[in-house]
Amino acid sequence: MWCIPILNEEYIERMEDVLAVYEKPYNKKEPVVCMDEKPVQLLDHARAPIPMKSGKPARQDYEYERKGSVNVFRAIEPKKGRHFTKVTETRKMPEFANFIKSIVDSYPKAKTIHLVMDNLSSHSKKALTQTFGEKEGCRLWNRLIVHHTPKHASWLNQAEIGIGIYAKQCLGKERVATIEQLAKRSELWNLEANKKQIKINWTFTRKKARQKFNYKNGKD
């Protein structure tokens, strides 16, 4: 469900910027990558589940034990179907910095990487320079052109769709009790998603936004 606040100049400007990036044709020299994160609750069985038998599905008791929560960073290059998934204990600056580094290092031949993400305080150049030092942090940040989504506009980030795909295909309704189990499960799913090149067919454009929200913008 889209929750759209009152449209102001900043909201429109950022929305138009993100949508303009999405409208660009695929260019391997300037990949467009969308990033976000998702909290995942770790759950264990209160009673041992009953495995699947011939003619009978696997069953599990409705009771469960909470084992805390972790963070999952997700990124996707929608037009290429390239996925990035990393399970971390928190979503603080060092974890964000290491995830960004893994993305940047995956595009050694790219001229620049268009990164779409929200404007969370940890999503910053400072996170990279504090984690890797001034020189390396700046090098990594300068590989990026960052496009911030407007506030209260997570629907504009295709990473949200990527998270939905991950939640359905990787997590499902099964319970995962430890961060190690979730990390391994996520790694295997990510390999399969990249093998299948699961893409996103984004169709919402600047033209549609102007019609939908009834505003005019002189920029193309």
Side-chain angles (χ1 to χ4, degrees), residues 118-131:
D118 62 26
N119 201 16
L120 197 67
S121 60
S122 60
H123 296 174
S124 63
K125 178 180 179 179
K126 182 179 178 181
L128 298 177
T129 56
Q130 284 191 350
T131 303

Side-chain angles (χ1 to χ4, degrees), residues 18-211:
V18 170
L19 292 177
V21 172
Y22 290 165
E23 291 172 34
K24 290 177 177 290
Y26 172 70
N27 182 353
K28 65 180 180 180
K29 292 294 184 181
E30 295 190 18
V32 176
V33 178
C34 305
M35 191 223 83
D36 207 346
E37 61 261 349
K38 171 183 175 63
V40 175
Q41 193 173 59
L42 299 176
L43 303 173
D44 200 1
H45 298 286
R47 298 178 180 84
I50 301 173
M52 181 177 61
K53 294 182 180 180
S54 178
K56 292 185 178 180
R59 288 172 288 173
Q60 63 182 17
D61 194 89
Y62 70 92
E63 290 189 27
Y64 56 83
E65 296 180 1
R66 299 178 187 273
K67 297 294 183 178
S69 63
V70 295
N71 176 70
V72 179
F73 284 108
R74 284 281 292 122
I76 179 172
E77 185 186 352
K79 285 185 169 69
K80 182 68 175 177
R82 190 172 188 181
H83 295 255
F84 304 86
T85 309
K86 187 175 181 62
V87 179
T88 59
E89 291 186 359
T90 70
R91 60 173 187 174
K92 295 180 181 179
M93 284 187 175
E95 286 85 356
F96 167 77
N98 279 286
F99 186 60
I100 292 300
K101 186 177 188 304
S102 69
I103 294 174
V104 171
D105 289 347
S106 297
Y107 295 95
K109 297 181 180 180
K111 177 183 176 182
T112 190
I113 301 165
H114 293 274
L115 182 65
V116 177
M117 61 180 177
D118 62 26
N119 201 16
L120 197 67
S121 60
S122 60
H123 296 174
S124 63
K125 178 180 179 179
K126 182 179 178 181
L128 298 177
T129 56
Q130 284 191 350
T131 303
F132 302 115
E134 190 71 23
K135 182 178 179 180
E136 177 64 4
C138 288
R139 183 192 72 83
L140 292 168
W141 188 257
N142 290 338
R143 293 285 315 282
L144 306 171
I145 296 178
V146 176
H147 305 269
H148 287 127
T149 55
K151 294 178 181 178
H152 309 297
S154 59
W155 62 273
L156 270 171
N157 192 340
Q158 293 189 58
E160 286 288 309
I161 301 174
I163 286 174
I165 295 170
Y166 165 80
K168 182 178 180 180
Q169 296 184 357
C170 181
L171 302 179
K173 296 182 179 180
E174 294 187 34
R175 294 168 185 164
V176 182
T178 69
I179 189 172
E180 292 81 11
Q181 291 174 354
L182 182 60
K184 185 62 177 177
R185 188 186 188 96
S186 299
E187 179 184 3
L188 293 174
W189 175 85
N190 199 89
L191 287 171
E192 187 65 18
N194 282 331
K195 182 179 179 181
K196 293 180 179 179
Q197 293 187 317
I198 300 175
K199 303 175 184 179
I200 296 175
N201 182 26
W202 183 271
T203 60
F204 194 69
T205 63
R206 288 171 291 172
K207 181 179 179 180
K208 290 182 179 180
R210 294 165 190 172
Q211 294 172 343

